[in-house]
Amino acid sequence: MESGSGNPRSSFSQSRRQKFPLNASTATHHRSKVSTFSQRVTPPPTTGNNSNASTSDFNDDDSSFGVLLGTCSYMCPERERIQREKLRDLAVFERLNGNPRKSSPVLAVKKFCRTISIKDVQASDMRPLNVLEDTLNYLLGLLDSKEHPFEVVHDFIFDRTRSIRQDLTMQNIVNKKAIYMYEGMVKFHVISHHKLWGSMGDPNIASTHHLNMEQLTKTLSSLFNLYEANRNSNDVHENEAEFHSLYVLLNLGSHSKPMGEPLSLWFSHVSTSILKSKEMRFARRIVRSFRMGNYIDFFHTVAAEASYLQYCIMEPYINEVRSLALSYINFGGYKLHPYPLFKLSKHLMIEESDLESFCHSCGLETCTDESGNKLLHTKQTTFSHPKGGFQKYSFLGLQDYER
Amino acid sequence: MAYLSMGEAHRRITEYLNRFSDAVSYQNGISLKSLFSLSSNSHFLLSLSDALILVNDFNRLINQNDNYSHFSDIISPLFRSLQHYKQSNFVEAYNAFEKTANAFVQEFRNWESAWALEAVYVVVYEIRVLAEKADRQLAAIGKSPEKLKGAGSLLMKVFGILAVKGAKRVGALYVTCQLFKIYFKLGTVNLCRSIIRSIETATTIFDFEEFPNRDKVTYMYYTGRLEVFNENFPSADYKLSYALKHCNQQHEANIRMILKYLIPVKLSIGILPNHRLLEKYNLLEYGNIVQALKRGDPRLLRSALQYHEDWFLRSGVYLVLEKVELQVYQRLVKKIYIIQKQRDPSRAHQVKLEVIVKALKWLEIDMDVDEVECIMAILIYKNLVKGYFAHKSKVAVLSKQDPFPKLNGKPVNS
């Protein structure tokens, strides 16, 4: 994470001087259930009883709470820490020597609070930018902790990063440092997307995965708004192309629109320099091969070019393309020429033994010839796309990513 | 500007007020509509604006007569709007006009008949156009442009008033079309969905054909585009074809806009336009895509997509066009088949995968035999080719009957 090492020049005051369309949308961030890229133009709930109350009234409010400057110098306001100690409401990471009723300023992290009203907020409850950056670095450092199951780690970081976003929003921090922080938080959700996918058989984890996806899409669209808000002329931010490519990969399937907008429409308002970037070219090539069903090109491209984050997003599609490939070969292959699994496993970048069990989960039988080669008979009528096919199979392009 | 006396200014304002109250009492929709039409730059409204800049206490004139004072909620903000409009102060002009629109629509709601529908249309149109102007000014001074969004909520209210009652219902489609224009501009097209649902519900008891032709065409154009975004091609084909058929043939710019979306849709269901059509409507961007389909030339398809990439992406048709790639491969295999047939009809239905590899190499496309096998498997699965492929001998064996089924207006199987 590079968010801690941003430039030392504080852009704090600068952030408050700027007035962006973003203000309106991020201010409602914690209130709106779904946020899409179009959030930018969704009217915020206005307080006036006149439905015509124009949003300029809102912006006036906005700048008045933009003055809010946090003074809390700990990851968790003292008031909250003491109260949660009393209520024994401490996450495992917050307990001092495992004591469920004792924490410390270096362990406690401010919880996300759903029903927060701008009027009740005190400066002492709000963490300033440098504290938020440190808090985020601390949280993301926990990602590699092996002490607890990943779900437990995820649950903690999930909640506490939400609270970080809330503090950023309420202080109206929308500068480049906020961009780095949002990028870090998107990364967290993307990696979690991948890690949780492996255990989708468990209904609890499936629902965690769903909630994670919800925050992933929200955080990503806020990040896009931040890029927009910090744009000078037509330059592209350092990681902007890669994060945009994640949007494309999230919307690969023509029926899955986690972010609510068809790709065609989304493409029509993304800037040309991003569309032509290397990362976006990759994502668009994946779109092409995925939609066409060209499994050879799909796996070639993934193995040759995908970044770790891109891979994490695409993982659910990997088996989808494999089962498509099996259905094509099973349907169109000559009955008297069964297809050697060894060959097919190379195309689909999977261990041969894994491919064999994958065939079985697609309802296809395999056999062995006299010299011991495994074969897939074609024209089997029993093919079906695996339901809840969350079982993890090897992906032979992955070794490069394992850190 | 010529000198304007106070007396003349008063006369002009009173003239407007008289015309307004006459239009209402005689239920003269045409006359009323002209009184709202800010952007028409009519001589009458321009000279009224000059007068209003001079006479600051116009409210006294409005309130001195019961015939006018009844409409002061409508007229007073309208006068303010005209003042600002005249000075190109569009944000304030919009804010005032919004009040006029609200008050007028409330009044209209209470009128039994729909005589003032034409005036409602003008108000709705002015609101949208004025909001766009205001937003441009807001953006220019670094403020968040939000008037068009506000116009959207206002028009939703108007839509609600029109959609319920008998004779006023024919006006609902006009407001719908203006809302579509707003949502497409703002990039919030998902908001179209709920109005479409209202229109669809309404037309179960009300014949769609009874709406004015102009509105039907616009409605079908926008809903057709939405179907293109969602890649629902048969429905997109129906809607855009309807728009094309009913569009005034004199309006070439509108026909071009419809064709811009209809052509990719037709391509995706296997129907190619002739070159004259592309020329006539200046849609030559599609020319090489059509050629690629005719020739079975995947390289030409790629270069055509690349050459006009920006235009295709901005229009939202890029992904639709990219999808015709399979049809291009179908055509390529068919050409190989036809050549083989001329040489040796008895063996024509066996196509060696190596031959396809070579043909592609000749087109400067580097594809190995495994990927060609993959493409053949897809073509067979999606019923663009009938037959099977033999993995060991690396041959595609085509069916002797109808080896290359036509799409016949249906999209490629998914």
Side-chain angles (χ1 to χ4, degrees):
Chain A
M1 266 314 302
E2 63 275 273
S3 60
S5 57
N7 68 56
R9 181 170 50 91
S10 164
S11 25
F12 214 64
S13 53
Q14 174 196 336
S15 77
R16 277 181 288 112
R17 259 187 286 117
Q18 289 167 317
K19 272 201 160 188
F20 298 116
L22 176 87
N23 298 358
S25 65
T26 48
T28 60
H29 195 249
H30 57 287
R31 273 179 265 168
S32 66
K33 246 197 129 43
V34 275
S35 79
T36 62
F37 189 54
S38 59
Q39 190 191 33
R40 233 185 322 165
V41 282
T42 310
T46 38
T47 39
N49 46 11
N50 176 1
S51 60
N52 301 320
S54 73
T55 26
S56 61
D57 302 336
F58 183 82
N59 268 355
D60 293 342
D61 286 2
D62 205 43
S63 48
S64 65
F65 82 73
V67 178
L68 186 64
L69 245 180
T71 58
C72 170
S73 52
Y74 300 116
M75 297 194 292
C76 180
E78 200 165 9
R79 185 165 77 142
E80 177 186 323
R81 191 184 77 230
I82 291 166
Q83 198 190 14
R84 287 207 281 122
E85 280 175 339
K86 244 185 250 162
L87 296 168
R88 305 177 72 163
D89 179 17
L90 298 172
V92 283
F93 301 95
E94 297 178 310
R95 297 173 191 167
L96 186 62
N97 304 321
N99 186 343
R101 60 180 87 185
K102 189 70 200 144
S103 187
S104 89
V106 295
L107 292 175
V109 186
K110 185 178 174 184
K111 269 178 91 166
F112 172 71
C113 178
R114 193 175 294 276
T115 52
I116 201 157
S117 140
I118 290 159
K119 293 184 180 62
D120 305 337
V121 175
Q122 296 178 7
S124 60
D125 291 336
M126 207 44 71
R127 298 158 292 179
L129 180 60
N130 62 328
V131 177
L132 289 170
E133 284 182 302
D134 291 346
T135 308
L136 180 62
N137 286 337
Y138 167 75
L139 289 172
L140 294 178
L142 294 177
L143 248 186
D144 296 325
S145 114
K146 297 273 180 283
E147 227 176 295
H148 302 281
F150 181 72
E151 304 90 81
V152 176
V153 181
H154 176 266
D155 197 48
F156 183 65
I157 304 178
F158 179 92
D159 179 81
R160 300 315 194 251
T161 46
R162 242 179 132 177
S163 160
I164 289 180
R165 292 197 290 279
Q166 198 172 38
D167 278 17
L168 286 171
T169 302
M170 296 187 84
Q171 297 175 87
N172 195 17
I173 301 174
V174 290
N175 56 23
K176 291 207 170 168
K177 288 193 175 182
I179 291 185
Y180 286 128
M181 293 181 71
Y182 267 85
E183 286 177 349
M185 292 187 277
V186 171
K187 272 188 201 173
F188 158 69
H189 287 299
V190 170
I191 292 169
S192 302
H193 178 72
H194 158 64
K195 290 198 174 175
L196 294 167
W197 181 257
S199 329
M200 286 286 275
D202 178 340
N204 286 329
I205 295 189
S207 97
T208 307
H209 185 269
H210 176 78
L211 293 174
N212 183 68
M213 174 62 102
E214 206 174 83
Q215 289 304 316
L216 168 57
T217 53
K218 266 190 179 184
T219 314
L220 191 57
S221 49
S222 304
L223 175 61
F224 291 160
N225 290 340
L226 282 172
Y227 285 137
E228 237 19 84
N230 283 276
R231 180 144 2 258
N232 309 314
S233 69
N234 282 323
D235 61 340
V236 173
H237 297 277
E238 192 183 350
N239 303 312
E240 192 173 350
E242 180 170 17
F243 282 94
H244 274 83
S245 77
L246 299 182
Y247 179 95
V248 177
L249 298 175
L250 275 171
N251 290 278
L252 259 197
S254 56
H255 296 294
S256 69
K257 287 182 219 115
M259 303 197 57
E261 194 179 26
L263 265 190
S264 284
L265 185 58
W266 189 76
F267 278 149
S268 67
H269 52 68
V270 173
S271 81
T272 309
S273 45
I274 289 174
L275 286 171
K276 295 194 190 247
S277 65
K278 176 174 142 288
E279 293 82 356
M280 206 59 148
R281 291 222 170 270
F282 162 79
R284 287 171 49 195
R285 179 159 185 177
I286 289 293
V287 169
R288 193 182 92 196
S289 55
F290 180 84
R291 289 158 48 106
M292 178 164 157
N294 187 337
Y295 50 88
I296 299 279
D297 192 57
F298 180 86
F299 284 105
H300 260 272
T301 312
V302 175
E305 289 179 49
S307 72
Y308 182 62
L309 291 183
Q310 288 169 332
Y311 171 76
C312 288
I313 296 277
M314 290 172 62
E315 191 177 27
Y317 299 114
I318 300 256
N319 281 344
E320 202 174 322
V321 176
R322 284 174 179 154
S323 86
L324 266 184
L326 287 183
S327 71
Y328 296 161
I329 288 168
N330 179 53
F331 182 86
Y334 182 34
K335 205 169 178 180
L336 300 180
H337 287 189
Y339 210 102
L341 285 193
F342 175 73
K343 186 84 191 271
L344 193 51
S345 70
K346 291 271 172 279
H347 295 338
L348 304 182
M349 302 217 163
I350 185 171
E351 293 283 359
E352 193 181 343
S353 56
D354 279 349
L355 178 59
E356 193 179 5
S357 62
F358 187 71
C359 287
H360 298 160
S361 68
C362 292
L364 297 175
E365 284 175 18
T366 54
C367 62
T368 313
D369 70 5
E370 54 278 11
S371 31
N373 297 316
K374 295 257 166 55
L375 301 167
L376 171 67
H377 274 293
T378 61
K379 301 269 191 277
Q380 298 187 45
T381 52
T382 46
F383 176 86
S384 65
H385 288 284
K387 292 210 171 53
F390 306 123
Q391 196 184 337
K392 241 186 154 124
Y393 294 102
S394 55
F395 173 67
L396 295 177
L398 187 61
Q399 290 89 338
D400 301 341
Y401 301 125
E402 302 290 61
R403 301 164 298 172
Chain B
M1 188 175 76
Y3 172 77
L4 182 60
S5 73
M6 199 51 119
E8 170 63 9
H10 278 230
R11 195 200 61 75
R12 288 183 190 173
I13 293 169
T14 315
E15 162 88 17
Y16 180 93
L17 293 169
N18 281 330
R19 284 202 197 180
F20 195 98
S21 72
D22 284 354
V24 175
S25 40
Y26 297 114
Q27 303 203 338
N28 184 343
I30 303 298
S31 166
L32 187 61
K33 124 180 158 177
S34 71
L35 299 176
F36 286 113
S37 189
L38 251 60
S39 64
S40 68
N41 285 325
S42 76
H43 175 72
F44 180 61
L45 287 183
L46 284 177
S47 62
L48 173 68
S49 308
D50 292 334
L52 287 168
I53 286 167
L54 204 63
V55 180
N56 242 328
D57 61 343
F58 52 73
N59 279 326
R60 202 177 46 80
L61 291 175
I62 299 173
N63 291 320
Q64 73 188 3
N65 183 324
D66 283 349
N67 286 341
Y68 324 142
S69 66
H70 179 64
F71 300 111
S72 70
D73 287 351
I74 300 171
I75 298 173
S76 167
L78 181 64
F79 280 1
R80 241 177 303 129
S81 182
L82 276 164
Q83 285 179 327
H84 290 299
Y85 192 87
K86 177 78 187 178
Q87 292 159 341
S88 298
N89 186 355
F90 297 126
V91 179
E92 290 308 320
Y94 173 83
N95 289 340
F97 198 83
E98 200 181 67
K99 295 200 170 69
T100 295
N102 266 308
F104 175 63
V105 167
Q106 283 311 320
E107 198 66 39
F108 175 78
R109 185 214 288 267
N110 298 330
W111 289 334
E112 281 292 315
S113 82
W115 68 269
L117 211 46
E118 288 289 331
V120 174
Y121 291 163
V122 165
V123 168
V124 161
Y125 172 82
E126 293 293 338
I127 271 286
R128 176 177 71 83
V129 175
L130 198 48
E132 286 177 9
K133 284 185 177 159
D135 276 357
R136 275 196 291 276
Q137 283 190 342
L138 284 171
I141 54 168
K143 285 198 176 164
S144 111
E146 60 203 5
K147 296 302 172 199
L148 194 56
K149 197 169 63 190
S153 345
L154 175 63
L155 294 203
M156 266 316 274
K157 214 157 51 174
V158 180
F159 178 80
I161 291 168
L162 293 176
V164 279
K165 278 200 187 146
K168 295 177 182 173
R169 203 157 38 193
V170 289
L173 205 59
Y174 181 81
V175 185
T176 301
C177 294
Q178 295 298 317
L179 276 166
F180 283 169
K181 287 181 191 193
I182 291 176
Y183 295 151
F184 271 76
K185 185 133 196 170
L186 291 175
T188 52
V189 298
N190 49 347
L191 296 178
C192 296
R193 229 173 292 154
S194 68
I195 3 175
I196 293 176
R197 221 174 297 128
S198 308
I199 292 289
E200 279 169 358
T201 318
T203 49
T204 54
I205 45 166
F206 175 86
D207 190 355
F208 182 76
E209 291 304 320
E210 286 182 35
F211 285 122
N213 191 60
R214 165 195 69 175
D215 301 339
K216 285 188 291 189
V217 169
T218 311
Y219 179 81
M220 286 305 208
Y221 166 74
Y222 280 108
T223 51
R225 278 184 65 183
L226 289 174
E227 299 289 6
V228 176
F229 289 143
N230 292 320
E231 303 193 8
N232 194 352
F233 297 128
S235 175
D237 182 28
Y238 169 76
K239 290 181 167 158
L240 293 168
S241 300
Y242 182 103
L244 184 68
K245 192 174 145 206
H246 293 82
C247 183
N248 184 332
Q249 296 305 307
Q250 310 298 316
H251 295 167
E252 295 209 351
N254 287 348
I255 293 178
R256 179 175 184 272
M257 278 166 70
I258 297 168
L259 286 173
K260 185 170 159 186
Y261 294 94
L262 184 56
I263 288 170
V265 168
K266 289 284 191 192
L267 293 179
S268 73
I269 56 176
I271 297 165
L272 311 187
N274 69 37
H275 198 72
R276 272 198 320 274
L277 183 82
L278 301 182
E279 269 175 354
K280 181 172 178 199
Y281 292 101
N282 190 22
L283 288 165
L284 291 167
E285 287 85 350
Y286 293 125
N288 278 340
I289 307 264
V290 175
Q291 277 304 310
L293 277 162
K294 283 187 180 157
R295 290 193 208 148
D297 183 346
R299 181 187 53 171
L300 184 60
L301 177 70
R302 279 184 204 180
S303 70
L305 279 172
Q306 207 167 5
Y307 194 78
H308 297 291
E309 187 178 66
D310 285 336
W311 193 78
F312 293 146
L313 283 166
R314 293 285 159 243
S315 320
V317 297
Y318 186 89
L319 292 177
V320 179
L321 295 172
E322 201 172 61
K323 259 194 166 172
V324 304
E325 190 177 351
L326 277 178
Q327 290 183 62
V328 175
Y329 287 123
Q330 180 200 38
R331 181 72 202 167
L332 178 67
V333 178
K334 188 171 178 181
K335 277 176 87 172
I336 294 173
Y337 168 78
I338 291 169
I339 293 169
Q340 292 193 151
K341 209 169 174 183
Q342 285 163 351
R343 289 188 188 151
D344 182 358
S346 64
R347 298 178 56 86
H349 64 286
Q350 292 201 15
V351 180
K352 290 191 178 126
L353 300 185
E354 275 303 337
V355 173
I356 304 176
V357 172
K358 266 189 206 150
L360 288 165
K361 189 149 282 161
W362 187 71
L363 291 167
E364 290 168 20
I365 286 187
D366 196 20
M367 204 183 266
D368 64 13
V369 74
D370 289 332
E371 192 168 349
V372 167
E373 180 188 78
C374 166
I375 303 276
M376 283 312 298
I378 300 169
L379 289 175
I380 293 166
Y381 186 85
K382 303 203 170 183
N383 200 33
L384 287 165
V385 168
K386 270 195 197 163
Y388 59 84
F389 68 91
H391 175 69
K392 215 192 272 171
S393 43
K394 303 203 180 314
V395 175
V397 181
L398 308 179
S399 157
K400 287 185 176 153
Q401 271 190 342
D402 190 21
F404 301 99
K406 290 211 160 48
L407 285 173
N408 284 329
K410 290 200 199 77
V412 175
N413 295 345
S414 51

